[in-house]
């Protein structure tokens, strides 16, 4: 029997999957791939960023609300999703930074933090894993820990001596980092908006990213998925506690975004199959080795 291509995206909190690689997942799922999101925490300590959702009954039940939002976003994207079971670490602020909450995800050892992910990998048997870079995409402690456990799980899920009792070993074939906000993408969008005499709602946000000095990864893989930008936007709106539908994120019509930059972008960090860079397919080199 033909084997179905399988893609796993590992994220820190509910809503991360809808702002990073969402259109890619929607495309592959629509084309018949099996796509699973593993969410490492429940997002219990996430701020409420939508004024309309700042209500006592929401704040008192934020964990359940965010699970319901995640389920709605999963349905919109057409993917599967599961929680790894860790507690959100929150984003510490201040100088000096306060200690992280006891028992939170970011305080786990890498070995313990990776255990449920290894189990998910052995059960789902993904060919490709998507995750964050060493900086976490941005320096949230849960994002950084998600990077660490993803790399560790990639390296150990295929080892029969590692994590006994978590299923039959399985070795994923490729791992990518999200390159979610490349400066070139927003420069292209800014140029298009300027040519049409429109304001750039991302200008201040991009300046803050530049000032933060996050590492820039070479884009090795560009996945054309502009057809699914509206799907990704709808999935992000489903996280109503985390995203203001009237905010800057939705200020530019998706048809303009697609015209400026029609891809979602990735950096290939591990590959156990032969592939040629640049790629336009996360499964490049895998389709030749797997009967699909």
């Amino acid at each position: 029997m033909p084997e179905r291509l399988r893609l796993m995206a590992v994220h820190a909190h509910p809503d991360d999957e809808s702002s990073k690689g969402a259109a890619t997942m929607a495309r592959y799922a629509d084309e018949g791939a099996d796509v699973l999101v593993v969410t490492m925490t429940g997002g219990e300590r996430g701020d409420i960023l939508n004024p309309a959702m700042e209500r006592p009954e929401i704040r008192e039940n934020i964990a359940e609300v965010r699970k319901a939002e995640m389920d709605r976003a999963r349905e919109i994207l057409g993917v599967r999703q599961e929680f790894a079971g860790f507690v959100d670490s929150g984003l510490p602020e201040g100088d000096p930074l306060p200690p992280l909450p006891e028992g939170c995800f970011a305080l786990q050892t890498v070995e313990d933090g990776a255990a449920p992910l290894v189990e998910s990998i052995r059960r789902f048997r993904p060919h490709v894993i998507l995750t964050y870079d060493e900086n976490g995409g941005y320096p949230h402690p849960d994002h950084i820990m998600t990077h660490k456990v993803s790399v560790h799980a990639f390296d150990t899920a295929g080892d029969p001596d590692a994590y006994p009792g978590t299923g039959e070993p399985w070795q994923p074939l490729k791992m990518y980092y999200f390159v979610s906000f490349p400066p070139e993408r927003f420069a292209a969008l800014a140029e298009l908006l300027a040519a049409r005499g429109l304001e750039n709602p991302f200008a201040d946000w991009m300046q803050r990213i530049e000032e933060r000095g996050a590492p820039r990864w070479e884009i090795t893989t560009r996945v054309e998925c502009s057809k699914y930008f509206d799907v990704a936007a709808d999935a992000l709106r489903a996280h109503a506690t985390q995203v203001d539908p009237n905010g800057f994120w939705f200020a530019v019509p998706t048809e303009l975004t697609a015209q400026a930059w029609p891809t979602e972008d990735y950096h290939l960090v591990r590959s156990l199959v032969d592939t040629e860079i640049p790629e336009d397919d996360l499964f490049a080199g895998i389709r030749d080795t797997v009967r699909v």
Side-chain angles (χ1 to χ4, degrees):
M1 292 292 293
E3 185 174 359
R4 199 174 174 191
L5 293 171
R6 295 181 295 276
L7 173 67
M8 174 184 284
V10 187
H11 286 283
H13 313 105
D15 80 78
D16 288 326
E17 84 298 325
S18 295
S19 61
K20 296 171 252 318
T24 298
M25 292 193 297
R27 171 192 158 174
Y28 282 119
D30 190 42
E31 292 177 351
D34 198 358
V35 182
L36 173 67
V37 174
V38 178
T39 311
M40 298 306 298
T41 82
E44 302 88 347
R45 292 189 170 94
D47 293 331
I48 295 178
L49 301 176
N50 178 0
M53 298 295 286
E54 185 56 87
R55 306 195 301 270
E57 67 273 20
I58 298 295
R59 186 161 290 282
E60 290 167 6
N61 298 286
I62 191 64
E64 292 305 313
V65 170
R66 297 211 65 190
K67 285 180 181 178
E69 291 174 345
M70 180 69 253
D71 192 53
R72 176 58 181 150
R74 174 207 60 73
E75 182 179 36
I76 292 169
L77 293 173
V79 303
R80 294 199 266 167
Q81 186 270 341
E82 61 190 34
F83 287 98
F86 294 105
V87 176
D88 187 352
S89 305
L91 182 59
E93 296 179 314
D95 187 12
L97 292 174
L100 293 173
E102 184 178 354
C104 69
F105 177 49
L107 291 182
Q108 306 298 312
T109 66
V110 171
E111 291 75 15
D112 289 346
L117 185 55
V118 168
E119 187 169 359
S120 292
I121 289 171
R122 289 176 171 178
R123 180 175 60 252
F124 181 64
R125 298 162 66 89
H127 300 105
V128 175
I129 292 180
L130 310 178
T131 192
Y132 312 136
D133 63 24
E134 290 93 335
N135 192 53
Y138 82 108
H140 188 297
D142 286 337
H143 283 242
I144 294 170
M145 179 58 83
T146 296
H147 159 78
K148 293 178 180 178
V149 301
S150 297
V151 172
H152 185 75
F154 185 94
D155 290 340
T156 57
D159 181 353
D161 295 325
Y163 294 99
T166 60
E168 290 297 316
W170 174 260
Q171 179 58 61
L173 298 176
K174 297 173 84 175
M175 172 177 277
Y176 292 89
Y177 292 159
F178 298 102
V179 185
S180 301
F181 310 115
E184 305 94 326
R185 176 181 185 177
F186 288 92
L189 181 58
E191 183 178 348
L192 178 62
L193 293 173
R196 298 198 175 200
L198 300 174
E199 182 181 356
N200 180 8
F202 296 101
D204 291 343
W205 182 69
M206 284 306 299
Q207 183 176 351
R208 290 195 298 271
I209 289 181
E210 288 291 312
E211 292 171 350
R212 193 168 68 215
R216 295 187 181 182
W217 292 94
E218 174 195 6
I219 296 173
T220 63
T221 311
R222 301 175 187 268
V223 179
E224 209 293 328
C225 51
S226 57
K227 175 182 174 182
Y228 300 92
F229 281 3
D230 282 333
V231 176
D234 287 344
L236 189 56
R237 288 189 190 95
H239 293 282
T241 57
Q242 293 292 292
V243 182
D244 184 351
N246 299 311
F248 76 92
W249 198 254
F250 304 106
V252 177
T254 53
E255 58 265 26
L256 291 184
T257 305
Q259 183 177 338
W261 198 272
T263 64
E264 289 182 334
D265 309 310
Y266 302 87
H267 178 79
L268 177 63
V269 287
R270 304 281 180 90
S271 182
L272 302 181
V273 296
D274 291 333
T275 185
E276 294 184 6
I277 303 300
E279 301 173 323
D280 61 5
D281 179 14
L282 297 177
F283 294 103
I286 293 175
R287 296 181 189 273
D288 299 331
T289 61
V290 176
R291 292 182 60 224
V292 295

